[in-house]
Amino acid sequence: MERSRPNILLTGTPGTGKTSTSELLAEKLGFKHLNVSEIVKTHNCHEGRDEEFDTYILDDDKLIDAMEPMVEDGGCVVDFHTCDVFPERWFDLVLVLRANTDVLFDRLSERGYSDKKRNENMESEIMQVVVEEARESYAEEIVHEVESNTVEDMDSNVDRMVSWVAAWQANNA
Ligand code: ADP
Ligand code: MN
């Protein structure tokens, strides 16, 4: 796919800091922040709710169709807790945010998650579900796992991606 600016995917277990980091990064780069959970709701890319898991049942095809025109010119920071639904060709960089169990516990409690939902997400983080999904879905050289426990982590992750984008643009000019 030809694009003059890269697309970045920020993924990770809920509560790892995708939305906060994406907002900051998109603002620094002048990129669009695409919060996929919001797109799923506003574009109705779901087949109702899964009450047991308290999430939407994703309509993958509808989501891809809705997002394709948004990402085709590049310049997007895409924020979603799962990453195997997107075409591989969309992304130039995939960042998997990681958080320590105690940190995630506090963040998900603060968010008002039920014990069940919080425990499922913590288990998923411990089992590295999203990391493995990312490694299976994208070329290994574009997948990076980074810590997102502190504000310093967030700043350094954003700085690192800003430098990476500058290098990408120099190489693709
Ligand atoms: P996600 O989008 O992955 O679910 P959020 O960005 O909504 O996560 O972050 C969840 C909570 O944790 C928010 O209150 C946010 O301010 C806080 N947070 C996220 N990342 C960090 C970080 N690196 N350091 C400190 N607090 C963070
Ligand atoms: Mn979020």
Side-chain angles (χ1 to χ4, degrees), residues 10-82:
L10 278 192
T11 190
T13 307
T16 49
K18 300 178 296 293
T19 301
S20 325
T21 307
S22 297
E23 280 172 355
L24 195 61
L25 180 65
E27 195 197 311
K28 284 216 173 178
L29 291 170
F31 278 26
K32 273 182 294 183
H33 171 208
L34 302 182
N35 185 329
V36 179
S37 302
E38 297 299 324
I39 295 171
V40 169
K41 282 185 249 171
T42 55
H43 292 251
N44 246 290
C45 307
H46 60 82
E47 295 156 342
R49 284 190 67 81
D50 180 330
E51 294 307 335
E52 191 194 343
F53 288 98
D54 191 20
T55 58
Y56 284 102
I57 302 159
L58 210 58
D59 182 337
D60 295 21
D61 293 336
K62 206 170 169 189
L63 178 65
I64 301 313
D65 288 346
M67 287 183 65
E68 185 84 59
M70 305 177 192
V71 300
E72 66 187 355
D73 294 330
C76 293
V77 179
V78 174
D79 157 8
F80 203 38
H81 59 265
T82 179

Side-chain angles (χ1 to χ4, degrees), residues 13-20 79 107 111 148-151 154:
T13 307
T16 49
K18 300 178 296 293
T19 301
S20 325
D79 157 8
R107 289 185 192 162
R111 193 175 267 186
S148 178
N149 293 308
T150 63
V151 173
M154 194 186 301

Side-chain angles (χ1 to χ4, degrees), residues 4 17 21 24 31-32 40-41 52 57 66 69 74 84 88 90 99-100 109 134 139-140 144 151-153 173:
S4 58
T21 307
L24 195 61
F31 278 26
K32 273 182 294 183
V40 169
K41 282 185 249 171
E52 191 194 343
I57 302 159
D84 61 358
E88 195 180 348
W90 279 7
N100 294 338
S109 301
E140 98 183 283
H144 299 272
V151 173
E152 290 73 27
D153 288 340

